[in-house]
Amino acid sequence: MDKIIKLESVDLYNSLYGLETLHPLVTVADLRKATKTLNHVQLDYGLYAVFLKLYKSCDIKYGRKSYDYQDGTIVCFAPGQSIYTRNLNDDISQPVLGLLFHPDLIRGTALGKSIKNYTFFSYAVSEALHISEQERATIIDCFKNIGIELEHGIDKHSKSLISMNIDLLLSYCMRFYERQFITREGENRDSLTKFEELLNDYFDSELPAQEGLPSVKYFADKICLSPNYFGDMVKKETGKTPQEHIQEKVIELAKEQISGTDETVSRIAYSLGFQYPQHLCRLFKKRVGCTPNEYRQREYNRI
């Protein structure tokens, strides 16, 4: 059985690779300088981590799938995620630069409040960040600046300065991810087409009555993307979130049934997957501007 390590401290990570710890809550790890190595091991992360792969020397699995972890890619992990690693050679050192930091480091800082906005921390395994040479140089500079601050020693300014530099690094990653959405437009379009097909298939089946309204995760899983990456992609391509697309579909179907049948609003709500009819009424009024019964009367008067 492969070894499982609960990675809950920066010092533990550094000790696993034989690296020095300069700060108890954050480290810039250059695995080219590692004196120890890990192989066939599962890491249960209690830290945030950003890794830059200089060239491929190991495989990473996130869940049951393989990360697209090629030359010049970035992968990001968050507390609560489990990663499996397998080295492709016997070298102790690895061509990897990494930033790891404990959630306590950013607690009470601006980054602590905005960290949830960096949705790439939970992206699907097939969606590592592929960067250009120029972008890689920018990321390496960010690592260097954080490393310089760590070597300065801890004082009353350390927490805020380190947090600001990490925030800058993550902002660049966000910019590069958004660029990736554009350069992978063809693949994204294919995913959007699949999303539309899945949405139609779901509501053409008995699933709404049996399972309720579909979640964003349901469609993301079908397309083999994480909910966050899927959400960002759909928003970038269409200007609307997946949840908004689902709601639009529900309202469209509700309108058809309200104006084209004599079914009660309650039966229509249940058939569309609502647990309570009032939830449909609330959503309908929010998006259409009137209640389902008012809409039915209005459509009846037009006949």
Side-chain angles (χ1 to χ4, degrees), residues 65 191 194-228 230-231 234 242-243 246 249:
K65 302 175 185 177
S191 296
K194 183 64 174 177
F195 174 37
E196 185 176 0
E197 293 173 353
L198 289 168
L199 194 56
N200 290 333
D201 290 345
Y202 190 91
F203 284 103
D204 284 342
S205 71
E206 300 298 322
L207 287 173
Q210 296 171 358
E211 304 293 336
L213 290 171
S215 65
V216 173
K217 184 179 184 302
Y218 170 85
F219 296 110
D221 287 346
K222 292 288 186 181
I223 303 173
C224 298
L225 297 175
S226 72
N228 277 352
F230 176 65
V234 172
Q243 188 63 40
I246 295 170
K249 183 66 176 180

Side-chain angles (χ1 to χ4, degrees), residues 228-241:
N228 277 352
Y229 190 92
F230 176 65
D232 283 356
M233 180 199 71
V234 172
K235 177 74 172 179
K236 186 74 175 178
E237 291 291 330
T238 69
K240 294 180 290 188
T241 67

Side-chain angles (χ1 to χ4, degrees), residues 252-263 268 292 295-297 299-300 303:
E252 174 190 328
L253 294 172
K255 283 181 176 180
E256 290 178 3
Q257 294 191 49
I258 290 167
S259 61
T261 73
D262 294 326
E263 291 284 1
I268 293 172
Y295 181 82
R296 171 171 276 166
Q297 187 61 45
E299 292 300 300
Y300 178 78
I303 300 176

Side-chain angles (χ1 to χ4, degrees), residues 2-15:
D2 293 321
K3 187 175 182 181
I4 299 175
I5 299 175
K6 293 188 178 298
L7 191 60
E8 297 181 344
S9 74
V10 164
D11 188 60
L12 174 58
Y13 181 86
N14 283 332
S15 66

